[in-house]
């Protein structure tokens, strides 16, 4: 399918708008690029570094045990940054799609910043958990605690049992929550179109979802400021540009 850029933009945008306007069930798969215009770092862009470390090196159980203070400083910074953010118009477009579009719409996000729910999306699957709460690293059985300014006042935060706390996110090398994963795959197996927004398509099993749609010959509309491994796939309509601008334009074109 065509890629946006100059005169072809209308063709790609019109194709995408028709797909979205005619769908009965839509899955919107989002990654760090959805939050980047709201100021949250991505993982792999040039802003994906943090104090000379790659994000992937920090989001691991080993890093948390080896240097809990550093990893918690990184999460605290991301959490506090995301708390200040107002979701950009791309989030509002997805809320409108869910509430006013004709299709049953579910957001399946890899992001842990909670911005989709904050924007008002109601049906959100958080594949990698969220930074809302933290649990005992040694699973002593204590209930999860809310991550707030008080908890972050002393890093790393500890469980009443004395062990370290860990954010309730899925770290690299850890399995995803069974129920979220199963629901995401079930929705991907039934949707009529999948929007893939702001993801580099590198982290599995989340990255398997768009492939599942393409294997079923379900069209994928990719919104990204760059190309990814699926951009040139014949089943993909690629809309080149930032989510905060492209998504509102897509909904306007679809008359939603
Ligand atoms: C698992 C939560 C199995 C934490 C995250 C070797 C060792 C161990 C594991 C592996 C290994 N090799 C492969 C693996 C599997 C691994 C994996 O896929 N690794 C990758 C790096 C190769 N996966 C896992 O470990 C998963 N677990 O496999 O477990 C298992 C099973 C049973 C029992 C035991 C184990 C767990 C993966 C989840 C990790 N946690 N997040 C946190 O957030 O801190 S992943 C984290 O990184 C994000 O959640 C997200 O998923 C990922 C970042 O990717 P993206 O979201 O795509 O972001 P990225 O920065 O890469 O790209 C941004 C994109 O946006 C770009 O394309 C850019 O062009 C675009 N963009 C930028 N600005 C905009 C934009 N687009 C539009 N508009 C803009 N404005
Ligand atoms: Zn404990």
């Amino acid at each position: 399918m065509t890629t946006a850029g100059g005169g072809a933009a209308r063709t790609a945008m019109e194709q995408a708008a028709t797909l979205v306007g005619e769908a009965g069930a839509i899955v919107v798969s989002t990654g760090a690029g959805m939050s980047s215009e709201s100021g949250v770092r991505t993982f792999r862009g040039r802003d994906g570094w943090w104090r000379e470390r790659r994000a992937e090196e920090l989001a691991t159980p080993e890093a948390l045990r080896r240097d809990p203070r550093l990893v918690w400083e990184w999460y605290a910074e991301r959490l506090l940054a995301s708390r200040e953010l107002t979701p950009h118009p791309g989030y509002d477009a997805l809320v409108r799609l869910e509430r006013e579009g004709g299709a049953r719409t579910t957001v399946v996000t890899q992001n842990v910043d909670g911005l989709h729910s904050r924007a008002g999306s109601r049906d959100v699957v958080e594949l990698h958990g969220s930074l809302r709460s933290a649990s005992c690293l040694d699973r002593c059985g204590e209930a999860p605690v809310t991550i707030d300014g008080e908890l972050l006042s002393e890093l790393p935060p500890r469980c009443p049992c004395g062990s370290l706390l860990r954010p309730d996110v899925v770290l690299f090398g850890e399995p995803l929550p069974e129920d979220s994963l199963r629901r995401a795959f079930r929705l991907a197996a039934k949707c009529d179109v999948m929007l893939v927004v702001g993801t580099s398509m590198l982290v599995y099993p989340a990255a398997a979802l768009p492939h599942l749609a393409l294997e079923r010959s379900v069209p994928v509309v990719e919104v990204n400021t760059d190309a990814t491994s699926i951009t040139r796939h014949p089943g993909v309509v690629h809309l080149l540009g930032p989510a905060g601008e492209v998504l509102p334009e897509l909904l306007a074109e679809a008359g939603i």
Side-chain angles (χ1 to χ4, degrees):
M1 295 194 179
T2 48
T3 294
R10 294 287 307 152
T11 316
M13 186 55 86
E14 278 175 348
Q15 278 178 19
T18 305
L19 291 169
V20 166
E22 291 176 351
I26 300 176
V27 167
V28 186
S29 170
T30 66
M34 182 74 201
S35 311
S36 69
E37 284 156 273
S38 293
V40 184
R41 294 168 181 275
T42 62
F43 277 68
R44 279 168 203 88
R46 66 193 159 294
D47 62 352
W49 288 81
W50 186 81
R51 290 198 203 153
E52 301 89 48
R53 278 180 175 77
R54 292 227 50 78
E56 287 92 302
E57 294 159 30
L58 293 162
T60 69
E62 297 74 29
L64 186 60
R65 285 197 187 276
R66 188 179 55 243
D67 195 341
R69 184 182 176 78
L70 177 84
V71 174
W72 266 104
E73 282 172 353
W74 178 58
Y75 276 110
E77 182 185 287
R78 285 173 65 197
L79 185 89
L80 297 176
S82 65
R83 284 265 157 91
E84 259 107 68
L85 300 176
T86 44
H88 58 63
Y91 285 94
D92 305 329
L94 294 182
V95 174
R96 244 190 4 265
L97 179 64
E98 179 184 46
R99 294 187 184 168
E100 298 155 28
R104 278 182 321 288
T105 302
T106 304
V107 172
V108 177
T109 188
Q110 300 171 64
N111 301 336
V112 297
D113 52 32
L115 284 175
H116 283 295
S117 309
R118 183 116 56 83
S121 286
R122 283 189 285 255
D123 193 6
V124 181
V125 178
E126 292 178 328
L127 280 181
H128 295 158
S130 92
L131 284 175
R132 273 182 217 94
S133 63
S135 303
C136 179
L137 187 58
D138 295 321
R139 299 202 181 108
C140 72
E142 280 282 340
V145 292
T146 303
I147 302 181
D148 54 19
E150 196 201 327
L151 188 88
L152 296 177
S153 58
E154 199 190 323
L155 299 180
R158 290 201 173 267
C159 173
C161 79
S163 293
L164 287 167
L165 284 176
R166 53 151 305 150
D168 289 336
V169 298
V170 180
L171 298 171
F172 281 99
E174 294 185 326
L176 277 62
E178 243 336 276
D179 48 347
S180 305
L181 196 56
R182 198 175 316 113
R183 179 149 193 262
F185 275 84
R186 204 174 58 243
L187 290 166
K190 288 195 308 187
C191 67
D192 306 311
V193 66
M194 184 177 286
L195 295 189
V196 180
V197 185
T199 176
S200 60
M201 293 289 300
L202 292 175
V203 174
Y204 281 83
L209 293 170
H211 290 291
L212 181 64
L214 291 171
E215 278 154 25
R216 291 178 51 232
S217 308
V218 164
V220 167
V221 174
E222 182 183 37
V223 177
N224 200 308
T225 45
D226 207 333
T228 68
S229 57
I230 62 166
T231 300
R232 313 220 63 78
H233 186 290
V236 173
V237 177
H238 183 64
L239 300 180
L240 188 68
E245 290 168 23
V246 172
L247 288 172
E249 214 181 301
L250 174 59
L251 262 73
E253 185 68 31
I256 299 169

